[in-house]
Amino acid sequence: DTAVSQTPKYLVTQMGNDKSIKCEQNLGHDTMYWYKQDSKKFLKIMFSYNNKELIINETVPNRFSPKSPDKAHLNLHINSLELGDSAVYFCASSQARVLADTQYFGPGTRLTVL
Amino acid sequence: AQSVTQLDSQVPVFEEAPVELRCNYSSSVSVYLFWYVQYPNQGLQLLLKYLSGSTLVKGINGFEAEFNKSQTSFHLRKPSVHISDTAEYFCAVSEGGAQKLVFGQGTRLTINP
């Protein structure tokens, strides 16, 4: 059973389009995250939600809007896609808000903006 | 602000040789430290973490790391590597109580037969 799953795995789209990436965790965790990994493998947190409440928003452009319909899901919607949005996006989850808890990562979604 | 520096972007070693991947951090308060591994085309997986207590931490797959507060380092070691250890390794830090993980740039470990 996949603990943290993301769809789609690959996403190729044109500049200016709007797209969404879905994330689901079946671990019963309270906290979920979105990370962006750029072409140089640099990994940076974008958002964190705890029980559907936004906890962290790391100066991400407001074209990016996370949505958490319930604590098992955290979707990422991106408006007006730009070339610089091309990256691998990882979803993760942890039991609680405390960083001592291990974060479990999904397999990633490779977004390519043409 | 916290930062993490992984001193080597790439480390090539021969199979069964020992390896050390270096990580230094900067923080003015107590920290939690982590090592994650990313196998090709996969997400990150926790190798080990330091929260408190013994400075030598043992993780999965035979890896261990030592927290050195005076040198602000958390180097990862394995006495004998295997081909299957080929991956990208990330060091990460969070300040005590903070919810945010800050990652280093990653070190690509390549194992040659």
Side-chain angles (χ1 to χ4, degrees):
Chain A
D1 286 341
T2 303
V4 182
S5 59
Q6 297 178 226
T7 53
K9 190 174 175 68
Y10 298 97
L11 184 55
V12 181
T13 188
Q14 300 284 337
M15 270 198 317
N17 284 349
D18 303 337
K19 290 293 179 185
S20 292
I21 306 172
K22 295 186 177 181
C23 177
E24 176 182 3
Q25 54 94 2
N26 63 6
L27 298 168
H29 288 168
D30 289 335
T31 307
M32 296 184 72
Y33 312 80
W34 276 110
Y35 287 86
K36 178 180 180 180
Q37 186 177 46
D38 64 23
S39 59
K40 295 183 179 179
K41 299 277 188 176
F42 183 62
L43 197 68
K44 187 172 181 183
I45 191 167
M46 300 173 68
F47 301 103
S48 167
Y49 268 73
N50 179 263
N51 275 324
K52 304 196 298 177
E53 178 187 354
L54 179 65
I55 304 299
I56 294 175
N57 182 340
E58 278 292 299
T59 60
V60 177
N62 56 17
R63 296 183 296 105
F64 290 78
S65 53
K67 287 183 171 55
S68 183
D70 54 62
K71 74 173 192 177
H73 296 84
L74 180 62
N75 303 323
L76 184 64
H77 188 77
I78 315 170
N79 290 326
S80 303
L81 278 156
E82 300 177 356
L83 292 176
D85 297 331
S86 294
V88 181
Y89 292 84
F90 287 99
C91 177
S93 72
S94 65
Q95 178 64 42
R97 298 171 58 169
V98 179
L99 250 294
D101 285 334
T102 299
Q103 292 187 24
Y104 294 83
F105 284 76
T109 295
R110 183 175 294 277
L111 171 64
T112 303
V113 182
L114 303 175
Chain B
Q2 309 159 67
S3 69
V4 180
T5 302
Q6 291 181 241
L7 297 162
D8 306 296
S9 60
Q10 296 187 58
V11 174
V13 295
F14 288 104
E15 196 172 14
E16 298 184 7
V19 69
E20 180 179 79
L21 306 183
R22 296 180 292 169
C23 173
N24 286 88
Y25 68 92
S26 66
S27 176
S28 57
V29 298
S30 62
V31 295
Y32 298 145
L33 294 155
F34 306 78
W35 275 99
Y36 279 84
V37 59
Q38 184 179 24
Y39 297 107
N41 299 313
Q42 294 186 29
L44 279 73
Q45 179 183 358
L46 181 71
L47 272 179
L48 48 80
K49 61 184 176 183
Y50 171 80
L51 306 180
S52 64
S54 172
T55 57
L56 184 62
V57 181
K58 293 192 183 297
I60 61 171
N61 301 340
F63 284 93
E64 63 180 31
E66 186 155 19
F67 170 58
N68 188 318
K69 188 175 181 180
S70 62
Q71 296 187 7
T72 60
S73 68
F74 190 54
H75 300 334
L76 181 72
R77 296 192 290 261
K78 186 169 181 177
S80 176
V81 295
H82 189 266
I83 290 282
S84 59
D85 293 323
T86 296
E88 194 90 20
Y89 291 79
F90 292 92
C91 182
V93 64
S94 75
E95 291 180 345
Q99 201 174 3
K100 190 172 66 172
L101 272 179
V102 175
F103 285 87
Q105 307 92 314
T107 297
R108 178 167 296 179
L109 177 62
T110 306
I111 312 299
N112 299 308

